[in-house]
Amino acid sequence: MEKSISISSILTSLICLFFLLFLPFRPIYFIVPAILFITAIYFSIKNYQYLSWQQVPKENKYFIFTILFYIALFVISLIYHQGKLREIDSISRILLILPLLFLTTQIPFKQKWIVISILSSGISVGCLALIQTSLSDDLPFPNHMHIQAGGFTMSFALFCLAITCYAIYHHLGKWVVIGVIAILFALLASFMTTSRGAWLGISVVPVILFYYRQILSKKLIIGLMAIAIISGILASDILVKRWQQAHDDITQYAQKDNGSTSVGARFDMWKSALLGIQEKPILGWGKEGVLEMRKKHYEQGLISEFASQFGHAHNQYLHDASTRGIIGLTALLGIFLVPLGIFIRGIKQSVVGSFAHLWSVMGVSHILAVMIYCLPQSFFNHNSGLNFYFFITVLFMGLYQAAKKQKM
């Protein structure tokens, strides 16, 4: 029993470190899944006589098949387009994460610890962003692309909002205060990354409030508005400057067809991707072929030279469709919509105020937020984006199922 508790504490601590160190210590997004993978293999070998595919929940089977189909499409594309093996290096690491679903059924993770670590992460990323920007003129979180970092911190803000709603429901005054501070700091950190695409994640807030509509009140709405206003005031210079830049870029593109600005290049890349999809709709161009396609569109005068240099479309949906065709786009939508359906069903089947309900709400907010991040950027073209999405999706799904089983 003591050994079991010790293992539970150690593995839960690892998951807590994933959230706490994801931004300041980049290797953590590979180290934690790797250790959990090895642990899952150990428990599988130890308990192999009790394991059965028939015992795996049906929803888990759907999710596993969806991920395997997504990975298989990369392999098929590699073979069909005669690509290079490194194209599947990042995507193959998803297989390290899947055993976490099994591990959550074998080990009683300390769910309260994980909730506290997420709140602590919201506060710590805000503090770190303030410290880093005060010490230099560079953007915060230099270990990550600022576009990616903006999404990660916005997601932390959304997670903290869901946890705060949970605390309000249970009248946990101290944790409500901590949650509000965590939301404020995480939101501020996202603003400081200057990532406009990540800021669109705020649109997920009404979804979280809908699932906790039982606690909606004037005080809560005023409180949330106050958080947004305070963080907006603290980062007002950044917000005004970035939105003004976006306005100027759009104006230049509309009036002068300037595709060499941040927004203008995106418009050109999206145009190029759409043209490429029309030319090769089934299996796309392949990773290397997309570069040739974009150069061809530049030579034809359809896009700017600046836009032709990018190997992705700055839009995950268009990138997958142009690289791996409509089949690739279907696989991408599958890894979003299948777990999203599982979490929505989890919300319906769980009691408001339970941990099962909380993890389901956080799962929905996580998936919707990443789907939004994928609109102005190729979120999965970076290892950090892939690991962030799949690790947290699998973790929340496993925690939801464990909480449901334990009636938490």
Side-chain angles (χ1 to χ4, degrees):
M1 182 67 179
E2 291 180 359
K3 184 178 179 181
S4 176
I5 293 174
S6 176
I7 293 174
S8 173
S9 299
I10 292 172
L11 296 182
T12 302
S13 297
L14 280 173
I15 291 174
C16 293
L17 287 175
F18 178 87
F19 287 104
L20 290 166
L21 299 180
F22 190 86
L23 280 155
F25 184 62
R26 186 169 179 171
I28 201 70
Y29 66 68
F30 175 74
I31 293 174
V32 170
I35 295 175
L36 293 174
F37 173 79
I38 295 171
T39 306
I41 296 300
Y42 165 76
F43 274 95
S44 298
I45 295 173
K46 183 179 178 181
N47 302 306
Y48 75 94
Q49 66 269 31
Y50 304 112
L51 299 180
S52 171
W53 177 250
Q54 284 73 26
Q55 295 176 343
V56 177
K58 187 181 293 186
E59 54 192 16
N60 286 11
K61 291 179 181 178
Y62 290 148
F63 184 47
I64 292 170
F65 282 135
T66 301
I67 291 179
L68 293 178
F69 177 62
Y70 182 66
I71 296 174
L73 253 294
F74 278 78
V75 178
I76 292 171
S77 177
L78 173 74
I79 297 172
Y80 181 78
H81 296 291
Q82 299 180 343
K84 299 177 181 179
L85 280 175
R86 66 170 181 266
E87 293 179 22
I88 61 173
D89 176 54
S90 298
I91 205 70
S92 62
R93 296 181 187 179
I94 299 174
L95 295 174
L96 292 177
I97 299 172
L98 276 179
L100 182 59
L101 268 177
F102 163 75
L103 207 56
T104 55
T105 64
Q106 301 297 309
I107 297 174
F109 286 96
K110 299 182 182 298
Q111 302 201 7
K112 290 183 180 179
W113 288 20
I114 299 173
V115 168
I116 293 171
S117 73
I118 293 173
L119 290 176
S120 301
S121 299
I123 296 173
S124 65
V125 294
C127 292
L128 183 60
L130 289 169
I131 293 171
Q132 289 177 334
T133 52
S134 65
L135 295 177
S136 72
D137 294 330
D138 297 330
L139 294 175
F141 317 115
N143 292 332
H144 298 270
M145 288 189 64
H146 76 102
I147 298 176
Q148 298 290 104
F152 302 148
T153 47
M154 179 58 71
S155 288
F156 283 147
L158 294 172
F159 298 158
C160 292
L161 172 60
I163 294 171
T164 303
C165 289
Y166 171 89
I168 292 173
Y169 184 87
H170 289 283
H171 306 288
L172 304 174
K174 179 179 69 175
W175 292 106
V176 172
V177 174
I178 294 174
V180 168
I181 295 172
I183 298 168
L184 175 61
F185 273 73
L187 197 59
L188 180 60
S190 185
F191 289 159
M192 295 178 74
T193 63
T194 73
S195 176
R196 291 177 300 228
W199 303 342
L200 299 175
I202 293 178
S203 59
V204 178
V205 169
V207 176
I208 297 174
L209 295 180
F210 172 76
Y211 287 125
Y212 277 101
R213 56 190 178 278
Q214 296 84 357
I215 65 167
L216 282 181
S217 64
K218 290 182 179 179
K219 288 183 179 180
L220 177 59
I221 294 176
I222 292 173
L224 290 174
M225 291 177 63
I227 292 172
I229 292 171
I230 292 171
S231 57
I233 291 174
L234 293 173
S236 59
D237 291 343
I238 296 172
L239 294 173
V240 172
K241 181 180 179 181
R242 290 296 287 162
W243 286 117
Q244 185 60 51
Q245 287 177 344
H247 178 270
D248 293 343
D249 289 356
I250 294 172
T251 301
Q252 288 188 48
Y253 191 83
Q255 297 180 354
K256 302 178 182 179
D257 199 27
N258 184 359
S260 298
T261 64
S262 176
V263 177
R266 278 177 168 79
F267 288 158
D268 271 1
M269 284 183 270
W270 297 349
K271 181 200 298 183
S272 176
L274 288 169
L275 291 171
I277 294 167
Q278 294 175 26
E279 295 170 21
K280 295 186 177 183
I282 307 301
L283 286 173
W285 290 76
K287 189 171 183 179
E288 298 296 327
V290 164
L291 281 169
E292 298 175 6
M293 172 199 77
R294 205 152 281 135
K295 289 179 181 178
K296 182 186 75 171
H297 291 159
Y298 162 64
E299 292 170 356
Q300 293 173 342
L302 299 173
I303 63 173
S304 67
E305 182 179 8
F306 179 63
S308 70
Q309 300 172 9
F310 290 86
H312 55 80
H314 264 83
N315 178 299
Q316 194 66 55
Y317 306 100
L318 293 178
H319 172 75
D320 279 41
S322 60
T323 306
R324 289 175 290 280
I326 300 302
I327 298 177
L329 176 61
T330 302
L332 175 67
L333 292 175
I335 63 171
F336 287 136
L337 299 181
V338 169
L340 182 64
I342 293 172
F343 283 124
I344 291 175
R345 184 182 178 190
I347 292 173
K348 293 178 180 178
Q349 294 181 344
S350 57
V351 179
V352 178
S354 65
F355 266 123
H357 183 268
L358 174 62
W359 296 123
S360 296
V361 172
M362 290 171 69
V364 168
S365 63
H366 171 58
I367 293 171
L368 291 179
V370 173
M371 289 181 74
I372 291 170
Y373 305 151
C374 286
L375 290 171
Q377 68 191 81
S378 296
F379 193 76
F380 290 157
N381 276 45
H382 308 276
N383 289 335
S384 58
L386 277 170
N387 282 271
F388 183 81
Y389 174 73
F390 283 103
F391 182 83
I392 294 179
T393 300
V394 171
L395 174 65
F396 286 174
M397 190 177 298
L399 292 174
Y400 148 67
Q401 291 172 351
K404 180 182 177 182
K405 186 176 181 180
Q406 299 166 25
K407 297 182 179 180
M408 295 176 66

